[in-house]
Amino acid sequence: KADLPTYTLAQVNAHISAKTDGIWVVYKNGVYDITKFIAAHPGGTKILLASGKSIEPFWQIYAAHNHGDVHKILEGLRVGNLDPVDVKALEEERVKKFGAGPYANEPMRHPAMKINSNQPFNAEPPPELLMETFITPNDLFFIRNHLPVPDIDINQHKIEISGIGFGQDGISLSVEDLKTTFKQREVITTIQCAGNRRAEMSQIKQVNGLSWDTTALSTAKWTGVYLSDILAFYGIVDEDEVGIKHCHLEGLDRDITGQAYGASIPIATALDKRKEVLIAYAMNDEPIPRDHGYPLRAIVPGTVGARNVKFLGRIILSDEEYQGFWQQKDYRGFPPNVDYSTQDFHRFAGASIQELPVQSAITEPRTGQTWPLEGSEEVDVMTVKGYAWSGGGRNILRVDVSLDNGQTWQEATLAPEATAQRYGRAWAWTPWTLDIDIPDDIDHLDVVVKAIDSSYNVQPDTINPIWNMRGVLNNAWHRIHVPIQK
Ligand code: HEM
Ligand code: MTE
Ligand code: MO
């Protein structure tokens, strides 16, 4: 590119009109004329948002540009080099915004998200926005990252499958191989973090972990191929075969020692077609956003979020569980009597969490939020909203709401998309609503919810019997306190 002219950022800034000087953008040290490309851009006229500017911040949101092919198109539009002084200035601006080091290349996030930690990035959506739709929009889907988000070129990416039945070297498949070899499948599923509602658990006695409220869960439609189809293609259909017990799922996000995020699921889950375990390449009809696992992600319906491994790089069939930290030391249920002061507390770690227990919560109103009385009507009504969900595909049979701490109950109305789910394959949540008549002469309401799943499992009424030092698996009755404004 040495023969191309050099331009300053100020000159690029002036190229914002297709009619006069053309529309230019910059990317790293290159200057590009996109005037003729705009009409052909697969993402439409959004590209104009970057007119005269750097496209980098935009490409941080839209992972689909993370492609050798896209960079080839871009180079075809090159008209010059950016003045090295401006290249340095842009880089400094980027570092100021995103920081330096392992977290310098994180994607952009929706400003409405409530951030629980920045590095790694963890955030949950406001409950009122989350419950507006059955399927959560991608940019409002809760984010739970243990490590920096990797930056993967989809064209170079190959998923490796090894272990029992595949030999040590195993095989590898590109994203294209997956799409062309196996039948395309769709699954609508809710992903819930084991730490959802941890904040309430800490009110009983401090637990360790991110302080999640009630919205460390979201729902999406995932497109991909069944893991059971892939394994069957290579002749693995029987879980009793030569000692296969676990299916490891390993991501491409790594800590500074090189240890990847990884997890495992029982081989029975991986092989069972009815469990619909997916190797997904799309989320709500878009390439999976970087935060949610671009370019490939394991979707394990009905199973705790932690096993839905993002940025999937390797699948290994084994006679033992995955040995990484988050399978062995975390995402396990400790008994209520064990805490960090207990001698050798790791000894008490229970089995790794897989299917989650029945859950429900109220999302509107929020606890502490004052409810204004209309005053005009005979009886004032408060609309209460929330979700229910159970692990293992168990359907929600009923959602009960009480205003007197469980003495009497009213039945909520369940969302039709939810109740239409097949028996034993209710992977998605059950949104519910109930209009409550507000009694006269009260200054507050204490509202309680519980759900019942298709195994007639119920939620515990208090947190005490399920308290655990990691603050996972909180599915006690959810309670809110609502002051009534007279
Ligand atoms: C999709 C090229 C700039 C927004 C795409 C795709 C290509 C492309 C090839 C299809 C990718 C795929 O689906 O495999 C380019 C080039 C650009 C540019 C060469 C600069 C010269 C931008 C900018 C924005 C943008 C600045 C936003 C402000 C989008 C969106 C999609 C898309 C929304 C749809 C895919 C998605 O939602 O993830 N672009 N693009 N693009 N592009 Fe661009
Ligand atoms: N996969 C990888 N590779 N790295 C991670 O940090 N976090 C897990 C799981 N998969 C994680 C991962 C946890 S604990 C949860 S709850 C879900 O991803 C969160 O998925 P989301 O960020 O798409 O909401
Ligand atoms: Mo999680």
Side-chain angles (χ1 to χ4, degrees):
K1 310 290 182 227
D3 49 335
L4 290 176
T6 294
Y7 298 103
T8 63
L9 190 56
Q11 284 173 301
V12 177
N13 289 160
H15 286 79
I16 50 168
S17 159
K19 290 212 188 79
T20 54
D21 308 311
I23 297 177
W24 289 8
V25 296
V26 301
Y27 180 74
K28 302 217 153 99
N29 61 352
V31 176
Y32 306 88
D33 183 345
I34 61 166
T35 319
K36 295 209 179 80
F37 175 70
I38 295 162
H41 177 230
T45 52
K46 269 187 197 145
I47 190 173
L48 293 173
L49 290 171
S51 299
K53 299 191 209 134
S54 168
I55 54 178
E56 266 194 276
F58 300 100
W59 280 14
Q60 288 209 315
I61 316 179
Y62 300 113
H65 299 97
N66 243 352
H67 239 252
D69 289 355
V70 178
H71 289 266
K72 248 183 247 157
I73 298 174
L74 186 64
E75 282 319 300
L77 308 174
R78 189 146 179 172
V79 291
N81 299 314
L82 186 64
D83 189 321
V85 177
D86 287 328
V87 174
K88 208 169 150 235
L90 278 177
E91 175 60 18
E92 276 165 10
E93 200 180 302
R94 198 178 65 82
V95 169
K96 216 165 90 192
K97 208 159 171 185
F98 300 106
Y103 290 94
N105 189 20
E106 294 280 289
M108 304 270 251
R109 279 96 183 199
H110 195 290
M113 298 291 275
K114 183 194 146 219
I115 297 172
N116 289 336
S117 104
N118 259 303
Q119 297 187 352
F121 191 80
N122 287 281
E124 61 188 304
E128 301 82 2
L129 285 184
L130 179 64
M131 294 318 292
E132 239 166 49
T133 51
F134 186 69
I135 303 268
T136 314
N138 284 352
D139 55 1
L140 287 177
F141 202 100
F142 88 102
I143 299 167
R144 206 287 174 245
N145 290 328
H146 292 85
L147 297 164
V149 179
D151 200 349
I152 302 164
D153 179 347
I154 194 168
N155 288 341
Q156 303 297 318
H157 184 53
K158 285 206 163 122
I159 185 167
E160 290 169 24
I161 310 181
S162 60
I164 301 173
F166 287 89
Q168 273 320 301
D169 291 341
I171 57 132
S172 60
L173 296 165
S174 68
V175 179
E176 208 45 40
D177 291 337
L178 289 179
K179 288 184 178 173
T180 52
T181 315
F182 305 101
K183 187 169 172 200
Q184 179 170 301
R185 314 276 191 171
E186 268 177 13
V187 176
I188 297 176
T189 179
T190 295
I191 296 180
Q192 182 182 205
C193 184
N196 189 31
R197 300 183 55 202
R198 178 179 284 138
E200 291 160 60
M201 206 169 251
S202 278
Q203 286 166 12
I204 303 293
K205 183 177 159 193
Q206 187 61 41
V207 298
N208 188 271
L210 295 169
S211 193
W212 296 107
D213 244 302
T214 52
T215 53
L217 86 173
S218 301
T219 302
K221 179 182 90 181
W222 304 88
T223 309
V225 300
Y226 280 168
L227 178 53
S228 60
D229 282 348
I230 302 177
L231 296 178
F233 184 84
Y234 292 100
I236 295 171
V237 288
D238 182 2
E239 69 168 285
D240 298 329
E241 205 163 340
V242 286
I244 308 175
K245 293 205 180 92
H246 301 274
C247 178
H248 299 185
L249 304 162
E250 192 177 81
L252 289 167
D253 45 342
R254 293 178 184 283
D255 68 15
I256 39 169
T257 70
Q259 172 66 57
Y261 182 91
S264 57
I265 56 174
I267 188 65
T269 306
L271 288 177
D272 187 349
K273 217 182 166 76
R274 294 186 72 262
K275 298 275 188 199
E276 301 180 66
V277 176
L278 212 64
I279 307 304
Y281 40 75
M283 178 180 185
N284 296 333
D285 299 316
E286 282 176 25
I288 300 175
R290 282 183 60 208
D291 266 324
H292 301 292
Y294 185 83
L296 292 176
R297 170 174 202 171
I299 292 297
V300 191
T303 290
V304 64
R307 317 300 171 213
N308 290 248
V309 174
K310 309 193 271 192
F311 335 108
L312 189 65
R314 293 207 296 167
I315 298 173
I316 303 156
L317 302 185
S318 175
D319 59 353
E320 56 175 22
E321 275 197 340
Y322 188 74
Q323 290 301 304
F325 178 83
W326 288 285
Q327 185 75 24
Q328 294 302 327
K329 301 284 186 229
D330 201 358
Y331 297 114
R332 287 177 180 255
F334 284 87
N337 56 312
V338 172
D339 63 22
Y340 285 99
S341 68
T342 309
Q343 272 269 312
D344 195 16
F345 63 81
H346 278 306
R347 218 154 47 82
F348 298 95
S352 66
I353 302 168
Q354 295 285 341
E355 291 181 356
L356 286 172
V358 58
Q359 173 70 289
S360 68
I362 300 163
T363 53
E364 265 176 272
R366 293 194 197 203
T367 194
Q369 187 184 331
T370 301
W371 188 269
L373 287 184
E374 294 280 330
S376 56
E377 286 159 50
E378 204 80 350
V379 190
D380 274 287
V381 168
M382 174 159 79
T383 302
V384 184
K385 285 191 196 178
Y387 62 79
W389 185 76
S390 190
R394 286 179 285 277
N395 310 62
I396 293 299
L397 298 185
R398 214 175 66 222
V399 171
D400 298 333
V401 175
S402 175
L403 304 180
D404 52 12
N405 194 26
Q407 298 304 304
T408 60
W409 297 92
Q410 306 177 47
E411 200 173 330
T413 305
L414 312 184
E417 300 100 312
T419 51
Q421 296 183 92
R422 294 157 302 182
Y423 177 78
R425 289 201 271 178
W427 311 127
W429 59 12
T430 299
W432 56 266
T433 79
L434 180 65
D435 286 341
I436 291 172
D437 289 345
I438 303 175
D440 281 341
D441 297 327
I442 52 157
D443 59 6
H444 73 275
L445 271 181
D446 287 313
V447 189
V448 174
V449 68
K450 68 175 170 78
I452 294 95
D453 76 11
S454 51
S455 300
Y456 279 100
N457 288 312
V458 294
Q459 300 176 238
D461 54 355
T462 56
I463 292 172
N464 298 67
I466 54 168
W467 185 93
N468 62 88
M469 65 179 210
R470 294 289 300 141
V472 290
L473 302 165
N474 181 13
N475 71 331
W477 295 359
H478 186 229
R479 298 156 188 274
I480 58 165
H481 174 83
V482 187
I484 305 290
Q485 190 186 58
K486 300 260 175 89

